[in-house]
Amino acid sequence: MNDEFRAKAAPIRMILFDVDGVLTDGTFWRVGGEEVRRFHSRDGVGLVLARRAGLKLGLISGRRSAAVEARAEELQ
């Protein structure tokens, strides 16, 4: 990273992510009455690295979902 980028990024302390269509591909289905969503492992790695770098992270969704809550728990 160049110095200009570092200077611009330095004030960032928190990143909020929408879930559907950002951290998932936007599809979901039900299996045995339970909602299932498809998350990509690379997004998870990026979130873990961002947290390790000291950023606070948050997820935003239009409704509660056990799948989203489980993924958030996995990524801490």
Side-chain angles (χ1 to χ4, degrees), residues 22-24 39-49 71 75:
V22 176
L23 297 178
T24 72
F39 294 91
H40 200 292
S41 61
R42 289 183 195 147
D43 292 333
V45 170
L47 293 173
V48 168
L49 293 174
R71 184 65 171 151
L75 299 172

Side-chain angles (χ1 to χ4, degrees), residues 4 8 10 13-16 24-25 27-28 30 32 34 43 45 47 51 55 63 66-67 72-73:
E4 181 182 357
K8 288 182 179 180
R13 299 285 179 249
M14 175 182 261
I15 303 173
L16 299 174
T24 72
D25 64 3
T27 62
F28 67 93
R30 296 206 179 271
E34 185 174 333
D43 292 333
V45 170
L47 293 173
R51 192 172 40 79
L55 294 171
R63 60 190 174 89
E73 183 66 28

Side-chain angles (χ1 to χ4, degrees), residues 17-29 35-41 43-44 47 59-61 65 67-68 71:
F17 297 91
D18 182 34
V19 175
D20 296 321
V22 176
L23 297 178
T24 72
D25 64 3
T27 62
F28 67 93
W29 57 98
E35 185 177 282
V36 178
R37 296 178 189 219
R38 186 173 21 206
F39 294 91
H40 200 292
S41 61
D43 292 333
L47 293 173
L59 301 179
I60 300 170
S61 183
S65 163
V68 173
R71 184 65 171 151

